[in-house]
């Protein structure tokens, strides 16, 4: 991947990497903005949450953006991952990385199981079913059968405070970083961090590393043949099946991988916040992740990063803003965050179908090449042939295959996305 | 025996609510294969409008209801025309986004305006018990809602079977492209379905909250959304009478399961809805009365 | 993709906003203010070791020459959003105080955050406010699970939490272990125990009870008290029902309860579920003695909408209600009513509870300001654990008193009231108060 980038891209990525490394040392000192009488104090935890949310949005990018499945169950798997990693840590005394990976694996298996019946439905029907799953999560966690493990309504709390390991010079880094011109003395200072502060910085780095690994793995998986197969399946399932892609297996696997990624995101959430409660992982989280997905552009992993930042900082900002000149204070807390999110969703859907990062323009040619390439490959082997099984998705546009592909292809040529 | 009857009556009471909200969902799905996630919230706004007209402006409750239904229908038209119709009919994601966004925005808007306190509406239907066997109590109100739901369904069926508009709707529901080809103004038909669905939603919500045992608050429909969705899926997403069957079945299941299955206590009624959904999905995705679609390749 | 203009535009816009907004950093801040050290004696049996407080701590953080900042985290959205009305009450009352007779000449301001009753969000909110290091003290952070999550944070940060919104005695009744957290409401377990005592005086042993509780920490509080009552033999529980905080309907639960024909119904829930429960009991032709949660002691919100149901409901009362005609001439109640009407908050919510809490906070701040050293955190602690305040909004006879470990609870006195439906046109009935002021058992 790096080889294909130009020198300029590599320099930019390098710069971004440096910023990410220095950022926690700035944030740990709670830089405060004052905007129109509102004090907005930044902290490391929100930044860590942004990283965690980026992984969550990545899961949606994989399932929705790349594979075209309108599944909104990501919130459910984030919650499941968070709870599972907490339970593995508390009950089984597993070291945290093991717990997170374990949670991811469990969620992956669960997700693949979900994928099987989900094969039979598409579109808004699928959205409806998966959103129900996401919305019921808080109730499921309270089932008396598992209440003693999940803590019921009280949730689970990780005791203690995270501490940075001794073999990493995390607490001492400000002595070096404080010498960076301009920002060093003012934002970083040169005193070593306290143990609690070092702990939050360590959490940030650990989460960043884990997220980087996940992104790298997912990028690796979706490269090449599999990536093209995903794109083909998304754009024209029938066509790609006819061209030799085992769409059923691909879709179920994507469900699995996407849920595993979501599960890991949940585990990382538990690492950052050290508390899980039922209501955190309900309908609102699912909608926020969807919002992050759309804002970042559905197709690209970098978009997931932007989406993650939005998911973390939007509630943070709306929570911090207590005075807006001209608006009575009553109207500014509570429902206002939801109102804003709702309006943003509508506006986004109308105005920016591709999201802020839009690789469509550059990638469209690649995709067309890919679709042509898969069609040239070996003859179709067995998979569910769409023609025989009564596809029970009650789609109204009951066009025959020929009509549909004609319409779709015309639409594609006109730069239209599915 | 008495307890069983009581649970059956409760199931019917809850089920009629699920059925009436599910009806609006199904109406739009039938025409467009789209789910309006904001249906419940639009209905809630309609109920609040009825409240304002009936309680703060002191109009007759029935008059208030009719005005609110008309206003909701207009709102449905506006939503469809300005937002939904901009998207290609095969593109589902933007519509999901928009309806979810509307769900959040409408809910928050009403909460900001009215606060979360509960309000009462004058009762639309007669009070008291129709059937009383010990503590099992079938209220006139429940029967009334059932009668109204069946009545609305009957009216819709007549509309679909006997009128030109109904014929146009059925054509659009069967095959949108062909309908367009024969000159039916598809977009206008769909707008009409949004209008009717919105009006029915307001009727359902207002009937529900004017029940003397219940109150109106901004969260009232959000709580019902999952159940209404499960009811619609259970009955078949494109079957109008299916929504009634699905709603009643779900209400009864919920009340019987939470009453008699010990590991699903009543506070987890949503889990019953989820189980129903899972069963439908595994066994018969088109629901009880929905039409099985065959895709030819 | 970084070549994309859109990304640059967004990044540039973000940077420009940040620069324009003005930014400061806490790096330079060390404890510039007053920082006493060592162990300080606060009250009987209550000491606080100030050396354990963080480096950035000082005794007057959040206090400037003209402002005092108090932090709150309450549910203002979600299933329990009605509870958030109390924050409006607090603010409205202090707007009045700031205008008419400011505490120590300073304006009391509030940083109110929404946590939708989610303990994870409560934790983030409190952590954010602690990081900003500009909050003098916290007031009434709501929820037991929520407080369990944030009490260690506040204790570590050495920030007082006045009237903490939890009734969990393990958290609030040990000022020797954690002097920074004070109780802010009647413990639900204690409330159930008071019901138990009342039942013992009215019924024979083994009276049957059917209960409905909200399925969260709030309901669990009642459960603990009810279980203890059953163990004593005073009652026999024949129906144990719970409901989700976001349940659309509780008819299933009430049907089960009604079928038992129990002597007593205990309703441990809140907001709109109370009127629903009372109406359903009325409709089911079941006539138990009903004990209702004190959080529903609102004539406007709970009883007026369902009149004539709810007659003879028993409630443990701690404050005067603005919908109750017996207080129509009460000065404090009328003041609270006026505040509510000016704020535009609808009646029936917990606005007046906010005013009541604010009145105690005002007492605490004023008393602390008059002590040696003025308005400091340690002085506030001293007031919290040595209180003696007759809150004008509290029910007559109920006082807000604390005395270190000897009497750690502020909210431990109630009077049982029996609701009486109105005769005639009005929908607002009244609470007929029993004469005795009951005190709950504090240590646990």
């Amino acid at each position: 991947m790096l080889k294909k980038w130009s020198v300029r891209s590599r320099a930019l990525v390098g710069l971004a990497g440096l910023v990410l490394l220095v950022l926690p040392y700035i944030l740990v000192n709670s830089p405060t903005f004052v905007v129109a009488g509102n004090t907005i104090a930044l902290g490391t935890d929100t930044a860590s949450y942004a990283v965690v949310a980026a992984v969550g949005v990545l899961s949606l990018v994989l399932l929705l953006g790349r594979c075209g499945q309108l599944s909104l169950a990501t919130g459910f798997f984030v919650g499941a991952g968070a709870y599972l990693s907490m339970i593995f840590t508390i009950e089984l005394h597993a070291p945290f990385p093991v717990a997170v990976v374990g949670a991811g694996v469990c969620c992956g298996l669960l997700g693949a199981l979900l994928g099987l019946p989900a094969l039979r439905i598409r579109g808004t029907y699928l959205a409806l079913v998966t959103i129900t799953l996401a919305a019921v999560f808080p109730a499921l966690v309270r089932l008396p059968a598992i209440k003693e493990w999940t803590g019921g309504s009280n949730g689970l709390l990780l005791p203690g405070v995270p501490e940075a390991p001794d073999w990493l010079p995390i607490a001492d880094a400000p002595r070096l970083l404080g010498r960076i011109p301009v920002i060093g003395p003012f934002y970083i200072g040169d005193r070593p961090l306290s143990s609690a502060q070092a702990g939050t910085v360590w959490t940030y780095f650990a989460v960043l590393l884990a997220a980087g690994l996940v992104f790298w793995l997912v990028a690796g998986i979706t490269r090449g043949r599999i990536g093209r197969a995903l794109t083909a399946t998304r754009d024209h399932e029938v066509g790609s099946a006819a061209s030799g892609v085992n769409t059923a297996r691909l879709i179920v696997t994507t469900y699995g991988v996407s849920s595993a990624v979501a599960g890991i995101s949940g585990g990382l959430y538990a690492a950052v916040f050290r508390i899980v409660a039922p209501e955190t992982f309900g309908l609102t989280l699912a909608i926020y992740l969807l919002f992050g997905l759309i804002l970042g552009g559905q197709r690209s992993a970098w978009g997931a990063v932007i989406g993650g930042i939005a998911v973390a900082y939007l509630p943070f900002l709306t929570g911090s803003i207590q005075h807006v000149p001209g608006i009575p204070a009553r109207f500014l807390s509570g429902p206002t965050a939801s109102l804003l999110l709702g309006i943003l969703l509508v506006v986004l859907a109308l105005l920016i179908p591709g999201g802020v990062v839009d690789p469509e323009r550059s990638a469209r040619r690649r995709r067309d090449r890919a679709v042509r390439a898969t069609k040239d490959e070996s003859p179709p082997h067995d998979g569910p042939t769409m023609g025989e099984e009564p596809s029970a998705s009650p789609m109204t546009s009951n066009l025959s295959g020929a009509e549909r592909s004609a319409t779709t292809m015309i639409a594609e040529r006109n730069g239209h996305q599915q | 025996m008495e307890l069983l009857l009581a649970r059956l009556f409760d199931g019917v009471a809850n089920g009629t609510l699920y059925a009436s909200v599910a009806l609006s969902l199904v109406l739009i799905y039938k025409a467009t294969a789209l789910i309006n996630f904001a249906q419940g919230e639009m209905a809630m706004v309609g109920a609040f409008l009825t409240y304002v007209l009936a309680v703060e402006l002191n109009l007759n409750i029935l008059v208030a209801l009719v005005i609110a239904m008309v206003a909701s229908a207009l709102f449905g038209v506006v939503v469809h025309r300005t937002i939904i119709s901009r998207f290609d009919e095969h593109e589902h994601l933007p519509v999901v986004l928009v309806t979810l966004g509307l769900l959040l925005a409408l809910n928050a808007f009403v909460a900001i305006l009215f606060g979360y306190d509960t309000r009462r509406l004058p009762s639309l239907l007669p009070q008291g018990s129709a059937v009383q066997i010990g503590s099992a109590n079938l209220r006139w109100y429940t029967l009334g809602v059932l009668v109204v739901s069946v009545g609305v369904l009957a009216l819709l069926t007549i509309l679909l079977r006997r009128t030109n508009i109904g014929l146009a709707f059925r054509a659009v529901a069967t095959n949108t492209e062909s309908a367009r080809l024969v000159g039916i103004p598809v977009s206008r038909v769909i707008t009409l379905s949004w209008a009717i669905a919105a009006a029915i939603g307001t009727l359902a919500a207002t009937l529900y909250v004017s029940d003397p045992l219940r109150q109106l608050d901004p969260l009232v429909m959000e709580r019902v959304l999952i159940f209404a969705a499960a009811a619609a899926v259970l009955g078949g997403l494109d079957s109008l009478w299916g929504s009634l069957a699905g709603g009643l079945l779900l209400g009864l299941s919920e009340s019987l399961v939470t009453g008699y299955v010990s590991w699903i206590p009543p506070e987890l009624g949503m889990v019953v809805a989820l189980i129903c959904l899972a069963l439908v999905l595994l066994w018969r995705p088109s629901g009880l009365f929905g039409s099985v679609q065959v895709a030819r390749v | 993709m970084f070549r994309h203009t859109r990304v640059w535009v967004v990044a540039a816009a973000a940077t420009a906003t940040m620069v324009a907004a003005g930014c400061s950093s806490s790096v330079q801040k060390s404890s510039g203010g007053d920082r006493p050290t060592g162990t300080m004696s606060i009250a009987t049996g209550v000491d606080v070791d100030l050396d354990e407080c963080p480096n950035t701590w000082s005794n007057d953080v959040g206090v400037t020459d003209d402002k005092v900042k108090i932090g709150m985290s309450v549910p203002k959205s979600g299933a329990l959003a009605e509870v958030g009305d109390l924050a409006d009450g607090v603010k409205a009352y202090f707007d009045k105080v700031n205008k008419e007779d400011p505490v120590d000449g300073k304006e009391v301001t509030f940083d109110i955050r929404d946590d939708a009753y989610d303990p994870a969000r409560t934790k983030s909110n409190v952590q954010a406010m602690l990081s900003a290091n500009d909050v003098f003290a916290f007031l009434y952070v709501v929820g037991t699970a929520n407080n369990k999550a944030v009490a260690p944070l506040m204790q570590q940060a050495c920030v007082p939490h006045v009237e903490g919104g939890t009734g969990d005695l393990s958290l609030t009744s040990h000022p020797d272990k954690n002097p920074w957290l004070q109780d802010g409401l009647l413990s639900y377990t204690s409330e159930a125990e008071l019901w138990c005592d009342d039942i013992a005086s009215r019924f024979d042993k083994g009276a049957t009870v059917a209960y409905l509780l909200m399925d969260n920490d709030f309901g669990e509080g009642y459960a603990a008290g009810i279980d203890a009552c059953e163990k004593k033999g005073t009652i026999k529980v024949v129906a144990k029902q719970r409901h989700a905080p976001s349940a659309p309907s509780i008819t299933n639960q009430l049907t089960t309860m009604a079928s038992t024909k129990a002597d007593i119904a205990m309703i441990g829930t809140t907001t709109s579920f109370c009127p629903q429960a009372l109406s359903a009991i009325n409709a089911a032709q079941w006539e138990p003695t009903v004990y209702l949660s004190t959080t529903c002691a609102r004539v406007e919100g709970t009883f007026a909408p369902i009149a004539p149901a709810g007659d003879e409901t028993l409630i443990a009362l701690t404050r005067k209600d603005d919908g109750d005609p017996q207080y129509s001439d009460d000065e404090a109640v009328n003041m609270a009513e006026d505040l509510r009407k000016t704020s535009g908050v609808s009646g029936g919510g917990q606005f007046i509870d906010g005013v009541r809490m604010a009145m105690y906070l005002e007492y605490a701040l004023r008393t602390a300001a008059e002590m040696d050293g003025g308005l400091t955190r340690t002085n506030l602690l001293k007031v919290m654990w040595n209180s003696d305040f007759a809150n004008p909004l509290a029910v007559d006879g109920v006082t807000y008193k604390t005395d270190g470990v000897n009497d750690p609870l502020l909210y431990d006195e109630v009077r049982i009231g029996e609701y009486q439906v109105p005769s005639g046109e009005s929908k607002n009935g009244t609470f007929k108060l029993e004469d005795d002021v009951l005190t709950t058992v504090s240590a646990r």
Side-chain angles (χ1 to χ4, degrees), chain C residues 174-430:
Chain C
H174 302 287
D176 48 333
K177 298 209 188 85
N178 180 2
W180 302 97
L181 174 59
Q182 178 190 48
D183 71 309
L185 47 84
L186 181 67
S187 149
Y188 300 120
T189 311
S190 303
E191 188 182 343
E193 285 165 6
L194 286 174
W195 292 346
C196 192
D197 293 339
D198 195 69
I199 288 170
S201 68
R202 287 173 195 255
F203 290 85
D204 294 330
K205 261 186 163 308
T208 50
V209 166
Y211 69 61
L212 173 70
L213 305 176
M214 190 179 267
D215 188 25
N216 57 11
D217 54 343
F218 160 61
E220 289 310 309
Y222 287 112
I226 298 174
D227 285 343
C229 192
E230 190 175 27
K231 283 207 177 79
K232 282 200 294 196
T234 315
I235 58 172
K236 182 166 161 5
V237 179
V238 294
K240 300 184 180 180
Q241 295 292 306
R242 284 180 169 72
H243 74 85
S246 61
S249 149
I250 49 175
T251 46
N252 291 335
Q253 288 88 334
L254 281 155
T255 301
T256 310
M257 287 164 68
S259 70
T260 65
K261 299 256 180 266
D263 303 318
I264 298 163
M266 290 182 175
I267 309 290
T269 182
T270 188
T271 63
S272 62
F273 296 106
C274 291
Q276 275 187 52
L278 292 175
S279 308
I281 291 175
N282 198 42
Q285 314 244 320
W286 170 39
E287 288 174 25
T289 305
V290 181
Y291 287 88
L292 186 64
S293 164
T294 188
T295 59
C296 286
R298 310 189 318 269
V299 174
E300 281 290 339
T302 305
F303 292 98
I306 58 170
D311 198 24
E312 299 184 351
T313 304
L314 295 166
I315 294 195
L317 292 169
T318 51
R319 65 148 173 76
K320 300 173 183 165
D321 189 73
D322 46 347
D324 189 338
Q326 75 179 292
Y327 298 118
S328 54
D329 291 328
D330 186 292
E331 197 187 309
V333 173
N334 285 336
M335 181 268 297
E337 255 301 86
D338 291 335
L339 281 178
R340 183 180 71 70
K341 290 197 181 125
T342 334
S343 308
V345 176
S346 64
Q350 300 204 359
F351 185 92
I352 190 173
D353 283 294
V355 178
R356 173 181 58 75
M357 272 177 236
M359 292 179 111
Y360 174 77
L361 179 64
E362 181 200 2
Y363 154 82
L365 291 173
R366 284 198 202 276
T367 315
E370 278 160 28
M371 292 165 69
D372 273 338
L375 195 53
T376 62
R377 284 168 166 173
T378 45
N379 281 344
L380 181 60
L381 275 186
K382 289 181 181 162
V383 178
M384 277 159 68
W385 300 109
N386 291 296
S387 292
D388 187 355
F389 178 53
N391 193 320
L393 279 178
V395 161
D396 293 329
V398 166
T399 54
Y400 289 20
K401 277 202 174 107
T402 55
D403 179 18
V405 286
N406 292 339
D407 182 10
L409 297 177
L410 202 57
Y411 288 85
D412 54 1
E413 292 175 2
V414 300
R415 284 172 75 179
I416 305 259
E418 182 183 300
Y419 182 73
Q420 305 194 308
V421 290
S423 46
E425 275 296 307
S426 164
K427 293 220 162 177
N428 289 25
T430 185

